Amino acid sequence: MPGPVQSIQRGAAILRLLARSSGRLGVGEIATSLGLPRGTAHGLLRTLQLVGFVEQDDATGKYQLGAALLHLGTSYLDVNELRSRAINWADALAARSCESVKIGTVLDGQVLVVHHVFRPDDSLQTLDVGSLLPMHATALGKVLLAFDSGASATLGAGPLDAFTRRTIVEPRALARALAAIREVGWAAQVEEMTVGEAAVAAPIRGHGGLVVGAMGITGAVERICDAKGQPNTALVTFVRDAARAVSRDLGASRW
């Protein structure tokens, strides 16, 4: 097996040093602290600056942790807080709806499943935590697209991938669907991702009402929908109530 990459180890040491520092550090201070040649330290810092992990003060030339690195840390904490706050409500929703429950958030233009509760029966099921799902073909994704303009922008203007004949692939049609979701406050998908499967999802909000994730149920069309192919109103209520409960726990006062 190949050994560790020295440049990455040194870059990580620089980030740890900056994190412990009470102020900005110069190239010389960093090189001395880590026992590195000044040129090596400078090269590492320039690379870390290029990717946004460190920032250089124009006046002093010294370095500090960059916004990109801080955002990564915040995103990690957000996902873990979302999951920890939602666990009990997700379990209750699975028991109440008798369907599997998933919680997702946006990651690189897709839905990252951060929590998954199995349908409460003896059927064979696969854990989907960590899976990435298409945003335009899932109820979770459509909720996130409807309330997050940044996520919506990642789709671009071209045709979208079709997973079934019912997948919305035309951007204008998707835009109309997202507008309708904003009106009613929840989303559904019926055989848009997988034939025979349907889902209902609602937004999870944090402080200030910002949508930080989505919670939903997934199951067979005949269980999720009525005879007309529309989501069962009782299941929609269950999902919305659970999402609102998580939102309240996360500090969304309007819920």
Side-chain angles (χ1 to χ4, degrees):
M1 294 291 291
V5 180
Q6 188 181 60
S7 59
I8 294 179
Q9 288 182 318
R10 289 174 169 177
I14 289 175
L15 295 176
R16 291 192 186 98
L17 182 65
L18 291 173
R20 290 201 305 262
S21 174
S22 58
R24 300 183 181 95
L25 297 176
V27 176
E29 295 171 296
I30 292 171
T32 299
S33 297
L34 300 178
L36 297 174
R38 185 184 178 93
T40 299
H42 185 257
L44 290 167
L45 284 163
R46 295 295 293 176
T47 302
L48 291 169
Q49 183 181 10
L50 182 66
V51 298
F53 286 0
V54 302
E55 296 174 353
Q56 186 179 32
D57 181 67
D58 292 334
T60 65
K62 293 188 174 185
Y63 294 87
Q64 63 183 9
L65 293 179
L69 184 67
L70 297 176
H71 175 71
L72 283 178
T74 301
S75 298
Y76 175 79
L77 291 175
D78 286 347
V79 167
N80 279 274
E81 183 178 10
L82 173 61
R83 182 168 49 215
S84 64
R85 297 280 186 174
I87 285 175
N88 289 338
W89 297 111
D91 287 344
L93 176 57
R96 197 176 184 192
S97 66
C98 296
E99 301 293 347
S100 70
V101 175
K102 294 177 185 176
I103 297 169
T105 188
V106 179
L107 179 66
D108 296 333
Q110 299 181 86
V111 181
L112 171 66
V113 178
V114 300
H115 189 59
H116 179 194
V117 181
F118 284 165
R119 182 175 179 232
D121 61 16
D122 295 329
S123 61
L124 181 63
Q125 301 175 68
T126 303
L127 187 66
D128 285 340
V129 172
S131 297
L132 292 171
L133 307 175
M135 300 193 75
H136 67 287
T138 59
L140 292 173
K142 288 195 285 185
V143 163
L144 295 169
L145 286 172
F147 294 100
D148 187 337
S149 58
S152 185
T154 64
L155 293 181
L160 302 167
D161 292 336
F163 297 93
T164 73
R165 63 180 181 81
R166 301 191 66 169
T167 307
I168 300 175
V169 296
E170 206 279 316
R172 290 184 181 178
L174 180 61
R176 290 193 295 271
L178 298 181
I181 290 167
R182 286 189 288 271
E183 284 288 326
V184 299
W186 57 276
Q189 70 85 7
V190 181
E191 298 189 297
E192 295 173 41
M193 179 67 188
T194 304
V195 174
E197 184 180 271
V200 176
I204 296 174
R205 299 177 183 271
H207 291 286
L210 179 69
V211 172
V212 296
M215 169 184 275
I217 59 172
T218 304
V221 172
E222 59 268 23
R223 295 197 307 266
I224 300 292
C225 299
D226 59 22
K228 296 181 179 180
Q230 298 299 310
N232 183 290
T233 55
L235 293 178
V236 172
T237 299
F238 293 163
V239 171
R240 297 189 73 186
D241 287 349
R244 286 171 174 168
V246 178
S247 298
R248 285 194 295 270
D249 282 356
L250 287 170
S253 58
R254 63 176 291 184
W255 300 105

